Amino acid sequence: VIFLSGYPYEIIKKQDVLEQIGTYIQKPISPDILLNKIREVLREDI
């Protein structure tokens, strides 16, 4: 799971949801970085 949010990491961390989700990415994000993160997560699941 990739969790994409416009909220800062510190706010998400305070909500204790990071342990429940897979990967956190803060917006805005470039298409290249997003694609690399998707590839990384897919490799983890194999």
Side-chain angles (χ1 to χ4, degrees), residues 23-40:
T23 301
Y24 171 76
I25 300 175
Q26 184 176 342
K27 293 191 274 184
I29 186 169
S30 72
D32 290 336
I33 293 174
L34 180 58
L35 182 59
N36 287 336
K37 190 56 80 172
I38 291 170
R39 287 179 179 149
E40 182 180 309

Side-chain angles (χ1 to χ4, degrees), residues 3 5-15 18 24 26-27:
F3 183 71
S5 176
Y7 286 102
Y9 175 80
E10 292 78 25
I11 300 296
I12 301 298
K13 186 176 177 182
K14 287 181 184 179
Q15 300 299 320
L18 291 178
Y24 171 76
Q26 184 176 342
K27 293 191 274 184

